[in-house]
Amino acid sequence: MKIAESTNFQHPVLAPWLRDIAGYRFDVELRTAEDESTNSLFIDCQVVMDQPDIRTLIDSGAANFGILVRCTDTGYRKVIKLGFPRGLHEFAPGALLGRVQFRPMIWLASSLLDYSPRGRRVEFDNVDALGAGTILALAEEYLVDVSRPPLPSIESLFELRVASHVEDGLFDIDLNSDKVTIGVSEATFSVIHSVRSGAITGAGSVQNLFYSQIIMHLLHEADLRKLELFGYRWCGALYATVESLGRELEGGCKMSLAQLILNKPLLNIGSGESAEETFLS
């Protein structure tokens, strides 16, 4: 069910913006804290709710207090049951990122044949039986911005391997794992290793030449096969990088996106910068 201040209910609901139940309050103070070392989020809810009939339902276990959590970035959408009048909860690392919506609420844990809370409006004198999950009270929504973890480095996303079946100067790319596996011949592997070590003059430009081709391929495949590949770590990081640049991966020019990810390498020729210093940093 979509819950908003404009939602209409067929039974009395206690909420600051409704007049279904007069003379009582349901307010929640929600505090959050991030653990940057694990990228997890901790919440602490303090509740003020003085409606005696709803309080009796909570005390007897017939009703629960908790929060509806919605996070667009990660797709997380869940109702979390919390303690009352104080509720604590820690979300797993990475479960919530970006803008997160928290809606405190009280709902029935089991069906109720008669619900006649004190203070209800006259039109709610004859309410039908309510089923489990029915909302009894809503508080103001909280919006929290959860920090994103630092984007991974290029070395953590790519794995270079010697593959005897690959022709010199060509690549065999496997996208079906958290790391992008790049298979190359032994001769090509030796050249790339020399570039990484700085043994070749102009190594930064050469690295960008190497990585730009790979990144364009990744952008193309991620666009075509998002549902299939998004669960892999490299793909999620690639989307996050494009988003951090203020661009969209879908439908965009993959050559231009690759140049942006590599910090426009054509403009940095001779500066000594390399893809490793700019990509996903």
Side-chain angles (χ1 to χ4, degrees):
M1 177 180 188
K2 185 177 181 180
I3 299 171
E5 279 73 4
S6 58
T7 302
N8 293 317
F9 296 91
Q10 302 303 311
H11 63 281
V13 173
L14 178 62
W17 60 90
L18 295 176
R19 297 293 178 265
D20 295 356
I21 301 175
Y24 301 100
R25 58 187 293 216
F26 175 45
D27 296 320
V28 177
E29 181 181 3
L30 187 147
R31 299 178 180 177
T32 64
E34 290 187 57
D35 185 341
E36 295 183 359
S37 65
T38 62
N39 192 230
S40 59
L41 183 74
F42 179 83
I43 62 168
D44 182 349
C45 293
Q46 296 278 0
V47 185
V48 175
M49 203 286 299
D50 58 1
Q51 211 293 326
D53 303 292
I54 298 177
R55 178 62 187 255
T56 297
L57 291 172
I58 293 175
D59 291 342
S60 67
N64 296 321
F65 163 72
I67 50 173
L68 170 61
V69 185
R70 290 176 287 190
C71 178
T72 301
D73 284 17
T74 65
Y76 189 100
R77 181 183 175 91
K78 188 175 182 180
V79 176
I80 305 293
K81 178 183 175 182
L82 299 173
F84 181 90
R86 184 185 185 190
L88 307 174
H89 186 77
E90 183 174 5
F91 293 91
L96 305 176
L97 294 174
R99 179 59 58 90
V100 183
Q101 299 168 280
F102 294 100
R103 173 73 73 179
M105 54 196 294
I106 297 172
W107 68 93
L108 284 175
S110 56
S111 58
L112 189 65
L113 295 178
D114 179 35
Y115 183 56
S116 304
R118 277 165 274 191
R120 68 189 182 280
R121 291 205 322 239
V122 175
E123 55 264 43
F124 292 120
D125 280 348
N126 298 306
V127 175
D128 294 334
L130 302 179
T134 300
I135 295 172
L136 303 182
L138 292 169
E140 299 285 358
E141 184 176 74
Y142 283 82
L143 297 177
V144 177
D145 289 314
V146 180
S147 301
R148 295 181 179 276
L151 292 173
S153 67
I154 190 170
E155 291 296 328
S156 69
L157 295 178
F158 291 157
E159 182 177 355
L160 193 67
R161 292 181 179 176
V162 173
S164 58
H165 66 282
V166 179
E167 184 179 340
D168 288 349
L170 301 184
F171 310 131
D172 180 36
I173 301 177
D174 182 5
L175 306 179
N176 298 309
S177 62
D178 281 339
K179 288 187 177 183
V180 175
T181 303
I182 306 171
V184 296
S185 69
E186 188 169 349
T188 305
F189 184 92
S190 179
V191 171
I192 295 172
H193 177 73
S194 297
V195 169
R196 284 177 166 178
S197 66
I200 294 180
T201 303
S205 300
V206 176
Q207 275 204 94
N208 283 327
L209 176 63
F210 168 69
Y211 282 121
S212 63
Q213 300 177 70
I214 302 297
I215 293 170
M216 278 191 287
H217 177 70
L218 299 185
L219 290 166
H220 178 74
E221 290 299 306
D223 191 356
L224 289 179
R225 303 161 54 195
K226 179 179 180 180
L227 293 178
E228 176 187 350
L229 299 174
F230 195 74
Y232 297 126
R233 181 169 172 265
W234 70 264
C235 190
L238 191 63
Y239 265 88
T241 301
V242 173
E243 181 182 342
S244 73
L245 295 170
R247 303 301 177 100
E248 293 185 0
L249 193 150
E250 288 83 355
C253 173
K254 305 306 183 285
M255 181 179 292
S256 293
L257 285 178
Q259 300 308 301
L260 288 171
I261 289 172
L262 293 172
N263 196 24
K264 300 179 180 178
L266 288 176
L267 300 181
N268 295 318
I269 293 177
S271 68
E273 287 193 20
S274 68
E276 187 173 341
E277 293 167 336
T278 57
F279 176 60
L280 298 183
S281 60

